[in-house]
Amino acid sequence: MHVVLPDGKQLELAQGATALDAARAIGERLAGDAVAATANGELVDLMTPLPDGAAITLITKKNPGDAAPLFRHSLGHVMSQAVGEYYRAKGYADDQIKRGVGPSIENGWYQDFDLPEPIKEEDLPEIEKVMRDIISRNLPFTRREITRAEGLAQFPHDPYKQELIAGLPEDEPITFYTQGDYTDLCRGPHFPSTGRLPGAFKLMSTSGAYWRGNEKNPILQRVYGVAFASQKELDEYLHALEEAKRRDHRKLGKELELFTIDPMVGKGLPLWLPNGTVLREELTAFLKEQQFKRGYQGVITPNIGNLDLYRTSGHYPYYAESQFNPIEVDDEQYMLKPMNCPHHVRIYGSKPRSYRDLPVRLAEFGTVYRYEQSGELNGLTRVRGFTQDDAHIFCRPDQLKREFLDVLDLTVLVLKTFGMTDVRFRVGTRDPESDKYVGDEANWNLAEKQIIEAVEEVGLPYTIEPGDAAFYGPKLDFVVKDVLGREWQLGTIQVDYNLPERFDISYVGEDGQDHRPIMIHRAPFGSVERFTGILIEHYAGDFPLWLAPRQIMIIPIADRHNDYAWALRDELHAAGLRAEVDDSSNRMNAKVRTAELSKIPVMLVVGDKEQEGREVSVRERTQGGLKERKGVGFDDLKAELLTRYKTRS
C-alpha cells in the first residue's frame, strides 16, 4: 500500500500500516514528535490502519491544537479511569462503576456514569488530581479489534456497554482502547499515550442525563471537562465563562427589571416589565422608521388561525412537532399562530393586484408560538411565545434582485447600528436527498442562484449550507459574533416561489394575463425576544443612551436642591428624554453608586453652584469608564442629549 504526503510524494508501506509507521518511514525523530494525523482530511490516531492511497498529514507536538478533538477524547478516557480509581479508593468494587457514552465536544468532553454514590462538585478537584497522576504515568493507548462475544464478556456487569455492543452493526469492527488497567469500548481516535496529553484541562460540572436521551431510561450522572493545547487558552476560556456569567441576560434582566418569566403564566412566556418594554419599543420604533422610509405598509394579524390555513401553507404538518396542538372551536380546528407568512399571503390575496401595484411590502411585529421542550427554554433566547419583526414582499421577477438587495442593506444597517460588525453570511440551500422540501425543482434552483448572485454583487463573504433551507425556499442567514466570540443566528432573508403557488395568488401583468408573484420573507431581528436577550449580553446591560430604559438620573446633593432637580427633570421629560430624580435621604456618593449599579448612562449632580448658574455636573458611563464634566450649561446639555437620542448615536 502507499500514502500520499503533503508535498505530493508517495510513501510505500506494508499493508495495514498506521500513521506511526508512516512517521517512522520518514524518520524516528518525526515518529517521536507525532501525536496524530489526518487521512483524507479526517483526524486519525497513530494506531489505526490507514486506507490505501490516503493523503496524510502528520500532526506533531508543536501544533497539538490541530488534534484538539483527539486529546479531548483521550482526556475523557483518563477522567473515566480516574473516576474508577477514585471510587476504588473509597472501597467500591469495579463492577459498581458503570459507564455510558463519553464523546469529545466543543472545547472538551463529557462522560456519563452510573455510580454507587454521586460525584459532588467538591470531588471534581480530587478527580483532577488522579487524572494528573495518570498522565504522569505516561500510559500508552493501545487499540485492538475484538469479536462481539469478547466485547460482551469484557463488561458482564455493565448494562450500558452491553446495550451499546449489542446495537453495533454486524459488519462493523468492534474496537477497544486500553491505557494501563483501564479498557473501554471506543472507535477512537486517541493520543499515543497519557503522557503526551496537554495539562491545560479542568473538570467543570456535573448534571443528570437520561441514558440515550430517552426519559424512560435511567438518569446517569454526566461529568463535563474542558481542555486546550495551552494554559493560556484555558485561562482565556475560563475568563470568557466568567464574563458570560456577568453578562447573562437572565441575571441582568432581573437586576435591571427588564422581564420576568412567571410559572403561573407559563414556561417560555416572558412578561415584559416597564423597563424592558421601553427597550423593546425603542427597538421596534427604530425598525419601523426604517421600514417607513423603504415603503413598507404595516398590517396586524390574529394570534390564532384556522388549521386549513397552515395545511395550505405547509407549516402543518411539516413542523407539527414544534407547534401547539390544534384547538377545537365550533366544529373547526384552530392553532396558535406558528408563522405570520400565511396571514400576509391572505392579505395580499384580499383584492386584485396589478403589475403596477408591485412590489407590495407588508410588515408586522407579529407574535407567534412554538412548542419548545422545557429543557431547551432559556430566558429570552429560547421561548414559546415571541414576536418576529416580520415582513413579506410580493414582487415581480424583474424586481426580485432590487428588493433582495434592499432587504440585505436594511439588515446590515440594523446590525451596524447595534455594533454587531462581526457577521458571516450563510446561504441555506435545499438538500436534494431530503423529502422535507416542497415546490418545483427549477424554481428552487432559480431562487438559490438569485440569492447567491445578490450576495456576490455587494461583495459579502458567504458559505453555502446544503439542507439549511426553509421547507418552502432557500435563505440567507446572518450569523453574528458577539463580544464574547459566541455566534448567534439573527436576521434572515428567504426567497419563496412556493407559497404564492400553494395559495394561488397572482397579479395582472402588462399582457393582461395572470402571473405569479415571488415572495421574499425577511426579519432583520429574527425574534424581538431573542434579539433583546443577545443585546443585553452584548452590551452587558450598559445600553447606549438611546436604548437605555432609564437614561438620566438627576442627583441633588442636599434636600434644598430637590426643587431644582425636579424642574430639570420636567424639562427633560417634556423634551422626550427619560429622566428621574433620586431625592432619597442617601448621601450623594451612595446615590451615584446606586445609579451606576442600575446602569443608568447619564447622572446629573446638582448643588448650590449648579443651581445658581443653571448648570449641572455630568457623570457619564462610557466603555472607558466614568467620564466627568463640571459646570455644564443645562440647555446645552439637553440639546446634546436630545441629538444623541434622536440620531441613535
Side-chain angles (χ1 to χ4, degrees):
M1 66 171 283
H2 73 277
V3 295
V4 181
L5 300 176
D7 60 3
K9 292 181 181 177
Q10 291 191 6
L11 191 64
E12 298 297 328
L13 300 169
Q15 194 65 34
T18 66
L20 183 59
D21 294 325
R24 282 177 176 150
I26 298 170
E28 284 300 324
R29 182 172 180 178
L30 178 59
D33 287 344
V35 293
T38 63
N40 298 328
E42 291 189 11
L43 274 172
V44 296
D45 58 32
L46 301 180
M47 300 149 274
T48 304
L50 295 168
D52 190 12
I56 70 165
T57 301
L58 291 162
I59 300 170
T60 70
K61 61 184 180 181
K62 293 180 181 178
N63 299 296
D66 293 342
L70 267 69
F71 70 63
R72 286 168 179 154
H73 186 45
S74 298
L75 281 165
H77 276 237
V78 170
M79 182 191 76
S80 192
Q81 179 182 0
V83 168
E85 294 186 10
Y86 184 69
Y87 275 80
R88 280 203 301 271
K90 287 186 164 195
Y92 292 106
D94 283 342
D95 59 14
Q96 293 178 277
I97 303 159
K98 304 175 181 66
R99 299 169 174 89
V101 295
S104 64
I105 55 176
E106 184 181 12
N107 299 320
W109 75 89
Y110 70 77
Q111 173 69 54
D112 291 343
F113 295 96
D114 184 348
L115 298 166
E117 64 175 87
I119 294 173
K120 299 184 288 292
E121 292 292 329
E122 56 264 32
D123 294 330
L124 297 180
E126 298 304 314
I127 295 171
E128 271 188 39
K129 290 179 184 177
V130 183
M131 289 178 66
R132 296 188 188 281
D133 179 61
I134 292 169
I135 289 172
S136 72
R137 299 176 211 165
N138 196 23
L139 304 173
F141 284 94
T142 59
R143 176 186 182 274
R144 64 188 176 99
E145 294 188 11
I146 58 165
T147 65
R148 188 175 302 270
E150 288 174 318
L152 293 171
Q154 178 74 33
F155 303 104
H157 305 291
D158 192 327
Y160 310 107
K161 298 299 183 190
Q162 293 271 324
E163 183 177 329
L164 289 171
I165 293 169
L168 291 173
E170 291 289 344
D171 58 347
E172 183 176 308
I174 299 174
T175 55
F176 276 4
Y177 277 82
T178 299
Q179 78 267 13
D181 61 359
Y182 175 75
T183 296
D184 204 354
L185 170 72
C186 182
R187 63 167 55 95
H190 282 285
F191 252 41
S193 68
T194 62
R196 308 287 292 278
L197 293 169
F201 65 86
K202 182 176 178 60
L203 300 186
M204 300 296 293
S205 62
T206 71
S207 68
Y210 289 109
W211 167 237
R212 311 199 91 166
N214 189 330
E215 61 185 14
K216 295 179 181 178
N217 288 338
I219 296 179
L220 305 184
Q221 186 171 19
R222 180 167 292 178
V223 182
Y224 290 92
V226 295
F228 294 88
S230 69
Q231 188 63 40
K232 180 175 180 289
E233 291 174 277
L234 176 61
D235 291 342
E236 288 173 351
Y237 174 78
L238 295 176
H239 173 74
L241 283 184
E242 288 303 312
E243 185 66 8
K245 289 178 184 177
R246 184 178 75 84
R247 293 172 177 264
D248 190 324
H249 78 279
R250 295 165 300 181
K251 170 178 170 287
L252 290 172
K254 184 175 181 179
E255 292 173 357
L256 303 180
E257 298 182 5
L258 301 175
F259 70 93
T260 186
I261 296 177
D262 188 326
M264 186 172 284
V265 174
K267 296 177 181 177
L269 301 172
L271 299 172
W272 292 86
L273 304 177
N275 288 341
T277 301
V278 171
L279 176 59
R280 179 184 171 121
E281 288 178 346
E282 288 288 355
L283 291 173
T284 56
F286 160 67
L287 192 56
K288 283 181 178 179
E289 284 180 21
Q290 293 299 322
Q291 290 175 167
F292 180 78
K293 292 176 184 177
R294 295 166 191 255
Y296 286 83
Q297 297 172 291
V299 296
I300 298 173
T301 61
N303 284 349
I304 66 171
N306 193 293
L307 192 59
D308 286 339
L309 177 70
Y310 308 115
R311 285 197 179 105
T312 302
S313 71
H315 292 99
Y316 189 91
Y318 281 100
Y319 294 143
E321 74 284 348
S322 64
Q323 297 167 14
F324 286 95
N325 291 331
I327 307 162
E328 294 284 343
V329 182
D330 296 335
D331 297 326
E332 290 186 303
Q333 287 185 304
Y334 288 78
M335 195 163 69
L336 288 171
K337 179 172 62 172
M339 284 294 225
N340 298 302
C341 34
H343 297 251
H344 292 188
V345 175
R346 299 307 294 161
I347 289 175
Y348 174 91
S350 63
K351 69 175 187 178
R353 308 279 181 174
S354 161
Y355 72 94
R356 293 188 181 91
D357 300 325
L358 273 57
V360 174
R361 308 180 187 97
L362 303 178
E364 175 182 19
F365 282 84
T367 300
V368 297
Y369 301 89
R370 309 278 174 82
Y371 175 69
E372 301 281 1
Q373 298 287 338
S374 296
E376 296 176 338
L377 298 174
N378 181 33
L380 293 177
T381 58
R382 198 71 178 265
V383 293
R384 287 176 172 166
F386 57 94
T387 302
Q388 292 180 310
D389 57 322
D390 232 345
H392 297 92
I393 302 167
F394 302 85
C395 62
R396 306 189 306 262
D398 62 296
Q399 298 169 325
L400 177 63
K401 180 182 278 189
R402 185 183 68 205
E403 292 300 314
F404 191 94
L405 288 172
D406 185 70
V407 172
L408 186 55
D409 179 69
L410 171 62
T411 308
V412 170
L413 171 66
V414 167
L415 297 176
K416 283 183 177 178
T417 298
F418 297 101
M420 296 178 172
T421 54
D422 193 343
V423 187
R424 65 182 178 90
F425 303 88
R426 185 175 66 200
V427 178
T429 60
R430 183 180 57 149
D431 178 0
E433 302 299 320
S434 173
D435 60 359
K436 83 170 187 176
Y437 305 100
V438 298
D440 179 70
E441 183 177 349
N443 283 339
W444 270 93
N445 293 337
L446 180 59
E448 290 173 358
K449 178 174 178 287
Q450 289 166 324
I451 289 177
I452 291 170
E453 285 180 354
V455 175
E456 289 181 342
E457 183 169 313
V458 293
L460 296 176
Y462 67 92
T463 58
I464 295 177
E465 299 287 341
D468 204 39
F471 75 90
Y472 49 76
K475 60 179 180 173
L476 176 67
D477 288 334
F478 297 75
V479 183
V480 176
K481 189 174 286 187
D482 67 13
V483 291
L484 294 178
R486 301 170 302 183
E487 286 195 331
W488 302 91
Q489 194 263 300
L490 293 179
T492 186
I493 315 173
Q494 302 165 358
V495 176
D496 183 3
Y497 284 83
N498 289 307
L499 285 189
E501 185 79 29
R502 293 173 77 91
F503 281 99
D504 193 24
I505 58 173
S506 61
Y507 64 91
V508 178
E510 288 183 89
D511 57 2
Q513 302 299 311
D514 284 345
H515 297 268
R516 194 77 71 199
I518 305 167
M519 191 172 171
I520 297 175
H521 306 242
R522 54 110 278 209
F525 292 159
S527 149
V528 175
E529 283 73 11
R530 190 162 187 261
F531 192 81
T532 303
I534 294 165
L535 271 189
I536 293 169
E537 298 191 0
H538 186 67
Y539 288 121
D542 280 315
F543 300 109
L545 178 76
W546 73 273
L547 263 183
R550 304 172 68 189
Q551 294 176 319
I552 304 163
M553 180 61 73
I554 305 171
I555 299 170
I557 294 175
D559 289 349
R560 63 181 179 275
H561 308 124
N562 286 351
D563 289 345
Y564 177 58
W566 278 105
L568 299 184
R569 180 267 176 197
D570 291 345
E571 287 191 47
L572 293 169
H573 192 73
L577 291 164
R578 297 184 285 275
E580 307 168 46
V581 174
D582 184 351
D583 57 4
S584 68
S585 59
N586 294 327
R587 297 176 66 85
M588 184 199 74
N589 288 342
K591 293 178 183 181
V592 169
R593 179 62 178 155
T594 299
E596 288 181 347
L597 291 174
S598 299
K599 299 186 184 293
I600 298 172
V602 177
M603 291 155 274
L604 308 181
V605 179
V606 295
D608 292 335
K609 182 180 177 183
E610 289 80 13
Q611 186 167 326
E612 289 169 9
R614 192 171 161 77
E615 296 176 345
V616 291
S617 290
V618 184
R619 296 189 178 205
E620 187 166 0
R621 295 169 59 80
T622 68
Q623 288 184 338
L626 197 64
K627 178 182 175 183
E628 296 189 62
R629 291 181 286 166
K630 294 185 178 181
V632 180
F634 175 72
D635 293 322
D636 292 339
L637 179 71
K638 181 174 71 171
E640 174 197 325
L641 295 179
L642 267 175
T643 299
R644 286 168 53 188
Y645 177 37
K646 290 180 178 179
T647 58
R648 300 186 173 94
S649 62

